Amino acid sequence: MNLITKRIKGTQDLLPDKSDKFEYVESVLKNQAKLYGFRLVRTPVIEHTVLFERSVGENSDVVSKEMYTFLDKSGRSVTLRPEGTAGTLRAILENGLHNNLPVKVMYITSCYRYEKPQNSRYREFFQFGVETFGSKSCLADSEIIFLVYSIFKKLKVQNLKLEINSLGCSECKKKFNNDMKKYLEKNFDNFCGICKERMYRNPMRVFDCKNENCKKNLKNAPIVLDYLCLRCKNHFDDLKKILDLEKVNYIVNPRIVRGLDYYTKTVFEFIDNKSEITVCGGGRYDNLSEEIGGPDLPSVGFGLGIERLLSLVKDYDLEIYPKVYISIIGEKARFKAVELAENFRNNNISTEIDILNNSLKSQVKYADKAKAKYCLFLGDRELENNFVKFRNMVSGEEKEIDMNNILNYVK
RNA sequence: GUGGAUAUAGCUCAGCUGGUUAGAGCGCCAGAUUGUGGCUCUGGAGGUCGUCGGUUCGAUUCCGAUUAUCUACCCCA
């Protein structure tokens, strides 16, 4: 085969084999979130570019080099969403939902980032996320962490670790960044080029560098947690207390800072022990609403990578098999078979029928592969005497059933 | 953007230091079994050997370029 074109780099075709699993996981995500009181929102894939510049942060890698941004026909700069939070918050504010607090919403959407694809990393990927708006309380933080936990439990995903940290409010962040900058400047020559740039734009992010040398030089660097004001410290301590009470295991890692600029106070990541890949990341973003022109609206949420989650889900249960297969023997039976099939389907019985004009043998073979429960045979003999031959595909048992009674039989 | 690997049938892959007609397994279709799946046997369909160029009497094989895929880094879900 020589197609004129293939799928776009970093995108995936979701074929029936995998889509069953996708549907299953999606239903678990939605059901668990509903248990916690989150309701679904859908926002457009496409937003004005400025929304992401302001929220995710112009200096972040996501905005500065990974966005699908283009001018539409009227010359407006628009962007395919690179994450779910900004659009969700925009929609909440624009539609005035923040007048009834708290607002708890979830979303499952595709996101787009123009980067080089690799393991568990795509240009089009699916994100599940929840956001709680209007609560300063660490109960809101713990609630979403419990939700993630319950999802993994339900899906039987194990070997994940939870790392948490607190970045503090804007005051704490500012003080820390100042000292961090001083520290980095003192050791300026010991850091790699990227870090050197970062120390001026967003010093905290130097912690994300994986360069061994840089890591070494960070050993005596200031620690965010030492800079928390009393309120932030209490918030973080309370969160830990609640997690302890519910026996949720976590590691405090003062080095996780996250790449999206909007995070404040609590941040957390669920990391797969084997691959070290972050499956779920989130935290608090109390200033984001004001950043995009909204009121003071404390918020907390997370994003969870569906593809990454799918690769961790081993077994799942989803009945998708047709119940009945109708095999057709000879020309005359075709119309009767169609009539029967439609009758079954109208009665909520999933039914398949030969549409390839295949031999009877391959028809039954197909029924077997499709895992149909029953196979019906319709040929001249049956038509003449007004019955249907009925075969139980599991036991192999066969019966002749009166045509007028067949519906009750397959039910 | 930087590094590594790969590209042969629908899928997974063989193909020796270059040599007639490019193979296997699985899958698909058919027959053995003239109206019946799972097991077995037999046959069949299906390939511009990623693309372009070079070396050669001759290239799937060697060389160059290009594209695509995978993978590591950066970053993130």
Side-chain angles (χ1 to χ4, degrees), chain A residues 328-338 357 378-380 383:
Chain A
I328 303 168
I329 310 154
E331 283 291 305
K332 285 182 200 158
R334 287 169 65 205
F335 297 112
K336 190 68 195 173
V338 171
N357 237 329
L378 212 55
D380 293 350
L383 290 179

Side-chain angles (χ1 to χ4, degrees), chain A residues 60 89 106 122 144 157 176 190 295 341 368:
Chain A
S60 69
L89 176 55
M106 64 167 136
Y122 306 97
I144 64 168
V157 173
F176 170 73
N190 296 327
D368 180 44

Side-chain angles (χ1 to χ4, degrees), chain A residues 226-409:
Chain A
D226 294 340
Y227 287 78
L228 298 187
C229 64
L230 191 61
R231 208 179 278 172
C232 289
K233 193 177 174 310
N234 285 341
H235 185 97
F236 193 53
D237 287 344
D238 284 350
L239 173 64
K240 286 189 288 187
K241 214 179 282 172
I242 297 168
L243 294 179
D244 289 337
L245 271 174
E246 284 302 311
K247 302 203 165 83
V248 168
N249 291 321
Y250 61 87
I251 304 162
V252 175
N253 179 356
R255 298 288 163 98
I256 61 168
V257 295
R258 313 206 38 78
L260 278 43
D261 288 355
Y262 52 62
Y263 285 107
T264 53
K265 292 190 184 168
T266 311
V267 289
F268 64 88
E269 290 183 8
F270 282 84
I271 301 162
D272 176 43
N273 281 327
K274 252 190 206 161
S275 59
E276 289 279 314
I277 283 173
T278 301
V279 184
C280 173
R284 194 160 262 287
Y285 42 95
D286 287 346
N287 305 322
L288 185 54
S289 171
E290 286 172 298
E291 200 65 51
I292 64 169
D296 173 30
L297 188 67
S299 319
V300 60
F302 67 76
L304 189 152
I306 305 260
E307 289 83 358
R308 293 176 178 190
L309 180 60
L310 280 173
S311 69
L312 298 177
V313 173
K314 292 282 141 41
D315 38 64
Y316 62 97
D317 252 337
L318 195 70
E319 285 292 331
I320 34 103
Y321 314 119
K323 196 167 181 189
V324 179
Y325 183 91
I326 304 176
S327 46
I328 303 168
I329 310 154
E331 283 291 305
K332 285 182 200 158
R334 287 169 65 205
F335 297 112
K336 190 68 195 173
V338 171
E339 191 189 318
L340 260 188
E342 277 306 291
N343 188 14
F344 290 167
R345 291 160 180 162
N346 287 336
N347 282 280
N348 248 336
I349 298 162
S350 63
T351 306
E352 283 210 66
I353 182 175
D354 174 52
I355 50 174
L356 289 180
N357 237 329
N358 270 345
S359 69
L360 180 59
K361 188 170 170 156
S362 29
Q363 289 186 53
V364 181
K365 210 170 173 180
Y366 180 91
D368 180 44
K369 278 207 179 139
K371 298 193 179 169
K373 225 170 173 179
Y374 312 122
C375 184
L376 306 190
F377 298 85
L378 212 55
D380 293 350
R381 267 187 241 154
E382 284 79 2
L383 290 179
E384 270 166 40
N385 299 302
N386 205 41
F387 73 91
V388 181
K389 196 175 251 181
F390 170 98
R391 182 184 174 91
N392 183 319
M393 291 296 280
V394 182
S395 65
E397 181 193 10
E398 277 188 10
K399 283 180 192 167
E400 292 179 357
I401 312 292
D402 189 278
M403 190 72 83
N404 302 318
N405 204 21
I406 187 67
L407 179 62
N408 294 324
Y409 222 88

